[in-house]
């Protein structure tokens, strides 16, 4: 029986003197179908099967996150495994440390259990349903490890929430690596950071990006041309009253002046070299910084499937402790994208489902209502294209929007706060207008709002100073949303990840009254695209234990009185 030796560190694993058969098997285990391969000439001619692999055949290496998968597969096939790695750095904190003012609650026993599994194994994914306290798990892990730690997210609102939470709840100072901030500079001009950092993926990715001279040259040249075209367009608008011939002549003269003033190729090259030098310094500084972290926590880690997270994590060469927190791992349509998450942090090591949290009373019991649109919107047909169908059947659909208002007014009558989630800003603006006319106090926050504005709006909802908060996708992920009585899913769509996150916005346990939440969605049936998306959303809910049991019959209303609610207005 063959013995396979695998040596690994925090980032890379390597097969030691493997046989060709083992190499081929590992290559197969870590293979995936390349997205879009079926459209290539090589695939169509059967010269390529459309697959690639995370295994480097020549170097015998692969991302360390795949070690448990590779070991399990090979062991099942009869291979003996000799796994070589240095012991994990010893945690410097203690188990069961207090990270907030809440008393111990046995319902949340899974949180320290997750932490101890990370301590034991080093890296894993924790699949925790929305509302399961992923932010608290992050704090517990830092308190247990007490080594230089980076909390990674893609959203500035969540980044600042975590910074506030670490500092106020635990007394731990945090450095910010994102949103225009990047640590601080000491008197010697050196960058300094605190042992705990909160960072944005976008910022770190931008600093790690280094362009070649041709790429940077092209970028500068394109920006110059774009600026000239913008100047010409503005000139035409300003002088549109001129005689067409005179205007054409004036524009021709302007273009000549632009060309004569345009930077030469040598000047552009000089600027390109300068930018590359600056960017290289940022890259080197960022790589050095990432190497200092010994623990990385990836919140809403399903987004690690993109290249950005992956590129950051491969520079965290000393981050032996890695915890990916997500309610929805491996739900991308792209096979490679799903595998990147495991490549960063290993397999799922712990699962906490919606039903577990609902049964424990941690989450409110959700009730789902699907409202039927009875009349076909004007100009919307079965085969209308997606973009036009979305505009006509969702954003501008008068009946649908009126039903949104009706549901919000009814919830308000029973003293319930409402959150309406939209995809497009124009839809949010329209609903805000309609809800305000119905006598409700309404705020609308979108990606254009700054952190302070968003935070203030959420506090107004919590304090019942507003009745309805309308939000775009900025509310989908990781936002500390106050207990909300009703979620109205006005934005349609089909993405499972987004749907579960949006439903989760309303499942926070209620501090008073019945511990239930009302979720409203719509049967969009007059267009093929909208209908399929509605059916997919419905199927996700119907297939989720804890959700499926509480879909109310078609044509019926929520049983407010039966659930213990009384009108307050």
């Amino acid at each position: 029986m063959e013995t396979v030796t695998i040596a690994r560190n925090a980032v890379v694993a390597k097969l030691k003197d493997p046989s060709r058969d083992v190499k081929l098997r590992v290559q197969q285990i870590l293979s995936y179908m390349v997205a879009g391969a079926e459209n290539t000439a090589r695939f169509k001619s059967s010269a390529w099967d459309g697959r690639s692999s995370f295994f480097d055949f020549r170097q015998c290496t692969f991302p360390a996150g795949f070690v448990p998968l590779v070991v399990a597969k090979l062991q099942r096939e009869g291979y003996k495994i000799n796994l070589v790695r240095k012991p994990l750095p010893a945690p410097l904190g203690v188990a069961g440390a207090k990270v907030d003012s809440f008393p111990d609650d046995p319902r949340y026993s899974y949180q320290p259990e997750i932490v101890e599994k990370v301590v034991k194994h080093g890296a894993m994914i924790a699949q925790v349903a929305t509302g399961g306290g992923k932010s608290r798990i992050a704090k517990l892990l830092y308190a247990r490890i007490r080594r230089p730690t980076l909390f990674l997210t893609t959203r500035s609102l969540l980044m600042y929430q975590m910074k506030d939470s670490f500092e106020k709840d635990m007394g731990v100072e945090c450095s910010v690596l994102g949103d225009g901030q990047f640590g601080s500079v000491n008197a010697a001009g050196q960058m300094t950071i605190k042992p705990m950092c909160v960072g944005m993926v976008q910022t770190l990715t931008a600093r790690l990006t280094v362009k070649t001279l041709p790429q940077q040259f092209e970028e500068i040249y394109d920006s110059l041309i774009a600026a000239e075209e913008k100047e010409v367009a503005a000139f035409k608008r300003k002088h549109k009253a001129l005689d067409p011939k005179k205007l054409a002549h004036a524009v021709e003269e302007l273009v000549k002046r632009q060309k004569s003033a345009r930077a030469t190729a040598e000047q552009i090259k000089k600027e390109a070299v300068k930018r590359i030098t600056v960017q290289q310094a940022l890259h080197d500084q960022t790589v050095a910084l990432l190497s200092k972290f010994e623990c990385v926590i990836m919140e809403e880690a399903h987004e690690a499937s993109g290249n950005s997270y992956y590129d950051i994590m491969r520079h965290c060469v000393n981050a032996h402790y890695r915890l990916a927190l997500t309610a929805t791992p491996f739900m991308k349509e792209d096979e490679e994208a799903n595998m990147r998450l495991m490549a960063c942090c290993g397999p799922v090591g712990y699962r906490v489902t919606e039903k577990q949290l609902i049964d424990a009373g941690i989450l409110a019991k959700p009730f789902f209502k699907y409202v039927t649109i009875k009349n076909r919107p004007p100009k919307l047909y079965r085969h209308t294209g997606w973009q036009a169908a979305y505009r006509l059947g969702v954003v501008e659909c008068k009946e649908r929007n009126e039903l949104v208002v009706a549901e919000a007014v009814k919830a308000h009558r029973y003293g319930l706060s409402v959150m309406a989630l939209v995809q497009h800003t124009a839809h949010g603006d329209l609903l805000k207008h309609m809800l305000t006319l119905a006598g409700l106090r309404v705020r609308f926050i979108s990606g254009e709002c700054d952190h302070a504005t968003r935070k203030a709006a959420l506090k107004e909802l919590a304090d019942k100073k507003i009745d309805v908060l309308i939000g775009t996708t900025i509310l989908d992920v990781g936002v500390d949303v106050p207990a909300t009585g009703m979620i109205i899913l006005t934005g349609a769509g089909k993405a499972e990840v987004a749907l579960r996150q949006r439903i989760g916005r309303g499942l926070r346990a209620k501090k008073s009254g019945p511990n239930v939440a009302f979720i409203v969605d719509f049967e969009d049936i007059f267009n093929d695209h909208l209908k399929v998306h509605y059916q997919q959303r419905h199927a996700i809910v119907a297939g989720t234990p804890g959700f499926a049991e509480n879909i109310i019959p078609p044509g019926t209303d929520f049983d407010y009185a039966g659930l213990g609610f009384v009108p307050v207005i």
Side-chain angles (χ1 to χ4, degrees), residues 55-97:
F55 181 65
D56 185 322
F57 202 86
R58 292 184 62 186
Q59 300 295 326
C60 296
T61 58
F62 57 91
F66 290 126
V67 168
L69 173 66
V70 171
V71 168
K73 294 271 190 181
L74 292 180
Q75 283 179 331
R76 278 199 292 268
E77 294 169 18
Y79 292 96
K80 289 184 177 180
I81 305 298
N82 177 31
L83 187 58
V84 180
R85 73 171 298 176
K86 292 181 179 180
L88 293 170
L92 301 179
V94 297

Side-chain angles (χ1 to χ4, degrees), residues 451-508:
H451 172 65
T453 301
R454 300 176 197 174
K455 187 175 180 179
L458 289 166
K459 188 174 188 307
E460 286 182 346
L461 187 70
D463 295 341
K464 292 192 176 293
K465 292 182 179 179
I466 58 174
D467 307 312
V468 182
L469 177 62
I470 303 171
T472 57
T473 54
I474 63 165
L475 291 178
D476 284 359
V477 177
V479 176
D480 186 14
V481 173
T484 304
M486 176 179 283
I487 297 291
I488 306 180
L489 303 172
T490 72
K494 64 174 181 175
E496 180 170 357
V497 172
L499 176 64
R500 291 186 182 278
Q501 290 165 342
R502 290 167 192 163
I503 291 171
R505 299 304 91 193
L507 300 190
R508 181 169 172 175

Side-chain angles (χ1 to χ4, degrees), residues 422 424-425 429 444-450 453-454 470-475:
V422 300
H424 294 178
T425 301
D429 289 333
F444 173 35
I445 56 175
S446 67
E448 297 176 358
C449 300
D450 60 23
T453 301
R454 300 176 197 174
I470 303 171
T472 57
T473 54
I474 63 165
L475 291 178

Side-chain angles (χ1 to χ4, degrees), residues 545-556:
F547 290 0
E549 304 90 327
N550 304 313
I551 299 175
I552 67 174
T556 63

